[in-house]
Amino acid sequence: MADQLDTLLDEGRRFPPSAEFAANAVATQALYDAAARDRLAFWEEQARALDWMTPWTRVLDWKAPHARWFDGGQLNVAANCLDRHLSGPRRNKAAIIWEGEPGDRRVYTYWALAREVGRAANALKRLGVRKGDRVAIYLPMVPEAAIAMLACARIGAVHSVVFGGFSAESLRDRIQDATATVLITADGGYRRGQVLPLKRIADEAVADCPSIRHVVVVRRGHGGEGDESFAEMTEGRDHWWHRLLDKESPHCPPEAMDSEDLLFILYTSGTTGKPKGIVHSSGGYLTQAAATTKYVFDLREEDIFWCTADVGWVTGHSYVVYGPLANGATVLMYEGAPDWPERDRFWKLIARHGVTVFYTAPTAIRAFMKWGTSHPAAHDLSTLRLLGSVGEPINPEAWMWYHEHVGRGNCPIVDTWWQTETGGIMITALPGVTTTKPGSATTPFPGISVELVDTTGKPMAKGGGFLTLTEPWPGMLRTIYGDDARYQETYWSRFPGRYFAGDGAKVDDDGYWWLLGRVDDVLNVAGHRIGTMEVESALVDHPSVAEAAVVGKAHELKGQAIAAFVTVKEGVKPSAELRDDLREHVARKIGAIAKPDDILFSADLPKTRSGKIMRRLLKDIAEGRALGDTTTLADPNVVARLKEMYEDKE
Ligand code: PRX
């Protein structure tokens, strides 16, 4: 962290907004002034941009750490994303422009999208889904993912989207935790030219999910209906999506939802082996998603907004679906990989569809850098006018490359810090207002109260410390599904009275925030959040493994990679085959995203005298650093031996 801090401190480049951009910007300094004058009035103003069926009676009811926003108010999130755009000129505007990996395309106007959502909502009702019931969604990046989410929102069902890259076991655990009654999946989804057999994985998961009464299957894989290799349908339980929808009316009245009624659960990794079901409610979440989309992305009627995140992550919830559609924007949705069939796929997409606002992750930008400038240079990117970054700290070199080779020097960059738990963007530049510095997320969004503290919880005006939030915000998580004690313990106990985000940060002399990554046992691998404990649990689940310790190590492209130190059981011989088998085992347990890059077999792990594994030392070893203090170890020789082995491992 110290090296990183020094490099960032040296970053002296400044990018003030151009006069031209500032003159036409959606955001203005007045937003900051209004929020500073009266934070709650500012958020009320943002909430008024939505359509409410019943006005709220109280803007905020805060009984720490539980917030109720816009209490007494009623609205329907899907109606806000669809119906209210149908009476004017937006009715025939593209809501979703979609491109599949093989190159197939579909466009849904707001009118067409509303009709599909109505049909899907009626189909869910026919399957017995009622307000408050949980629906699991395990889909590739196809329009049906957004349609399914909005259909749930329309009838007041709570969706739990599970990223299509997760394993059967991960899907099963999430379905069980939420006791979902319906699962919406697809026969398959394309990734790098291959079809991922989602239905087969889903079948394996559902075999252990007694709560599931129906499985709805979107036809996507090239096998298609009747191709048993892709989707074997279980009579009575499984239904083809298109057949169900065909029978339904496109009209489904939106359910009046209380502002605090649940909109969705989204599972994310924490510091224990069990993912947490992050609970988001309706009115506050949509208010923040919509307001941040409008101001952070300088949204205009004619924009083509492309957020490259998968709907399986929170970025896909807030900035592919809810934020843009609540604003009546046109979004581009793409199914596949950035390097398929060639490494210029993203630039081709931008040129073909005339993308104006592009929001992606530093891990992608670093891959583009590695692939070279010729790819973006070969395409017409002149429609781009604003760039965004999310998911992990963006290093200044990646920022500059993005600025020069994608933005051609004239697109502002918004680096947006937030989390699954925050629901929407929290720290960001406002284009046209903020002077940016490469590598800094700049300053809190209006109405967001962020404070740096030291290890004792004492506020610091600047320097390096921990990022905390001091006031509730509309999009905040309400609890952890089924485990409010864990909610209080995880977020509110480290620094009493404050929400602790788990991130280290530095604040400079100008009050700018520089994010330094997680300070807990949560890894950020290629923008994917993975708990070290989850990977450890997956490893020790293998019959050959006695003990495992997992750490993150710095990685050029992924930000962090996973390094595992494994002790095998008595009588087991470590081998290259076992290493491969362990990697596959982790993929089976969690998903391919959690496969360790390095696995080192060791007879012992460095432990304190009380038996605690010293992960800090393992991280030093994995990152090739000189060893830190080893005096508290039960056996200091263990770590020296490990370091030697790690260095020799190739
Ligand atoms: O460590 C921070 C990092 O991603 C974490 C949140 O991960 P997740 O809940 O999966 O949500 C990711 C997308 C919002 C944070 O605790 N992070 C996210 N955005 C940034 C970031 N770190 C630095 N700069 C960012 N812009």
Side-chain angles (χ1 to χ4, degrees), residues 281-313:
S281 60
S282 305
Y285 168 81
L286 193 65
T287 296
Q288 191 168 340
T292 49
T293 307
K294 174 173 164 193
Y295 295 117
V296 176
F297 299 109
D298 191 57
L299 212 63
R300 282 151 209 290
E301 209 53 67
E302 66 277 15
D303 273 323
I304 307 279
F305 179 65
W306 185 20
C307 165
T308 66
D310 192 284
V311 287
W313 308 108

Side-chain angles (χ1 to χ4, degrees), residues 315 391-393 415-420 503 515 518 524 529:
T315 310
E392 53 178 313
D415 172 13
T416 62
W417 177 88
W418 59 295
Q419 308 179 295
T420 305
D503 279 285
L515 278 305
R518 304 288 304 198
N524 192 331
R529 190 163 149 181

